[in-house]
Amino acid sequence: MISSPNNTGTQVTEFLLICFPGVQDTQHWLSVILAPLLVLARTANFVLLFTIHQAASLHAPMRYLLAILSVLDVILCLTVIPKVLLIFWFNMKPVSFAGCFLQMFIMNTFLPMECSTFLVMAYDRYVAICHPLCYPSIITEQFVITAAVFIVFRNLLATLPAPVLAVRLNYCASNVENCICANISVAKLSCGDIHLNKLYQFVSVWCLLGSDLVLILLSYCFILRVVMCQQSGGAVTKALSTCGSHLILILFFYTLLLVFIFTNKAGKKIPSEVPILLSVLHHLIPPALNPIVYGVRTQKIKQGIIKLLNH
């Protein structure tokens, strides 16, 4: 670190990711779990993307949404987990000032994008089940393109101020007690006031992720109401099986996020290792499960994967 001219703090040129402060000697054993999950997440998403690219019959609007979700999963996973494994295996804790805020920007932006993609996919299921005759005219390629543009710009504009507010701070220390460059974990190292950072983080998270969750739950409530009114037992079972697995995965995604938020708010009442571990797992478990639940359980994609593996 370099002393600043006004002597009010230091000019940090790099941060040190301490990861799990209380279990430094044994934290490397977590790699036994993280490394296979990383391989699973990468392999499953790349196989799914390649299958969608190769099979012309899968070039439907819903499949494009699934491809978008896989791309987001891969980016989020590779932004966080490889660095965590390098810390565990080779004690490579330093991360450059620019690299830290780049990681923060990607996490802050792409995580809400994934939630918004869940929302669009829930709307797709709502139209398919509640208004099947209108589905071809509503869920079109133009709809997917418009939704994708909206997802990118909405979340980019809403989340960009968080890393900008963090990068403008004057930092007095460089030891980040986290495995990743999380917004508040880094901002706590500042010499100045970070109330604005905390306020914006809180408002942006609840406005973006909260509004998406409410709309997702509404979509599945409408789906459940329509499905329960249907006479065909087979159709009901199929709809509940498909939408139920989707909803469980979405709720699991949000549950991890909510537990992470509340454990952070609890402060010293909960060991610091708990929110750190949840933060790491939140960037790994959903990317590993999404292609299985959304992809393999879709009949056409399952057939495409089997055909690909046979060749």
Side-chain angles (χ1 to χ4, degrees):
M1 293 186 290
I2 303 171
S3 298
S4 62
N6 56 14
N7 293 322
T8 58
T10 54
Q11 182 181 350
V12 174
T13 57
E14 66 178 21
F15 293 101
L16 295 179
L17 299 177
I18 305 302
C19 227
F20 297 95
V23 289
Q24 290 283 293
D25 296 333
T26 57
Q27 65 181 12
H28 61 278
W29 288 107
L30 279 172
S31 63
V32 176
I33 300 173
L34 299 184
L37 281 175
L38 175 62
V39 173
L40 173 63
R42 288 184 58 186
T43 304
N45 281 287
F46 280 125
V47 168
L48 182 60
L49 286 169
F50 189 72
T51 302
I52 293 174
H53 174 71
Q54 289 293 103
S57 61
L58 297 179
H59 294 174
M62 180 58 179
R63 312 301 179 253
Y64 289 134
L65 290 173
L66 192 54
I68 293 171
L69 183 64
S70 285
V71 170
L72 293 174
D73 279 338
V74 170
I75 292 173
L76 281 169
C77 191
L78 295 183
T79 300
V80 173
I81 306 304
K83 179 61 179 177
V84 175
L85 292 176
L86 288 175
I87 295 172
F88 290 166
W89 291 338
F90 307 110
N91 204 33
M92 295 178 61
K93 299 177 182 179
V95 56
S96 68
F97 188 82
C100 187
F101 287 101
L102 176 61
Q103 187 188 68
M104 186 189 300
F105 167 73
I106 292 174
M107 291 187 299
N108 284 354
T109 305
F110 283 73
L111 195 61
M113 284 186 188
E114 185 160 358
C115 297
S116 298
T117 306
F118 282 138
L119 172 59
V120 177
M121 295 175 79
Y123 177 71
D124 172 271
R125 292 298 84 204
Y126 163 74
V127 176
I129 294 174
C130 299
H131 304 284
L133 298 179
C134 301
Y135 183 86
S137 60
I138 296 176
I139 309 298
T140 62
E141 288 191 12
Q142 183 61 45
F143 168 80
V144 174
I145 293 172
T146 303
V149 172
F150 172 76
I151 289 171
V152 170
F153 281 98
R154 174 225 188 191
N155 293 292
L156 182 64
L157 293 175
T159 58
L160 182 59
V164 171
L165 288 171
V167 78
R168 56 178 276 276
L169 296 171
N170 184 30
Y171 290 94
C172 301
S174 60
N175 290 354
V176 180
E177 293 188 353
N178 206 328
C179 295
I180 61 178
C181 289
N183 184 20
I184 302 303
S185 296
V186 175
K188 286 179 180 178
L189 304 178
S190 168
C191 314
D193 184 15
I194 64 170
H195 284 92
L196 181 59
N197 298 66
K198 290 183 176 180
L199 177 62
Y200 192 86
Q201 177 84 354
F202 178 82
V203 172
S204 62
V205 165
W206 287 108
C207 286
L208 293 175
L209 306 187
S211 61
D212 286 348
L213 178 60
V214 170
L215 293 174
I216 288 171
L217 293 177
L218 280 175
S219 297
Y220 282 105
C221 285
F222 288 133
I223 290 172
L224 182 62
R225 187 184 67 178
V226 170
V227 166
M228 298 309 293
C229 293
Q230 291 181 356
Q231 301 298 321
S232 173
V236 171
T237 303
K238 183 179 179 181
L240 289 178
S241 174
T242 303
C243 295
S245 59
H246 292 181
L247 184 58
I248 289 171
L249 184 58
I250 292 169
L251 292 177
F252 176 77
F253 177 89
Y254 272 95
T255 300
L256 270 179
L257 186 62
L258 290 173
V259 172
F260 167 64
I261 292 171
F262 287 122
T263 50
N264 262 318
K265 292 294 180 184
K268 295 181 179 179
K269 296 179 182 178
I270 296 176
S272 61
E273 288 79 11
V274 174
I276 295 173
L277 178 61
L278 288 172
S279 179
V280 172
L281 292 178
H282 193 257
H283 290 84
L284 186 56
I285 294 180
L289 295 180
N290 285 341
I292 297 173
V293 173
Y294 279 99
V296 176
R297 295 202 57 173
T298 302
Q299 190 62 29
K300 287 187 177 180
I301 292 180
K302 185 177 180 179
Q303 292 172 354
I305 292 175
I306 293 173
K307 184 178 180 181
L308 177 66
L309 293 176
N310 288 335
H311 282 287

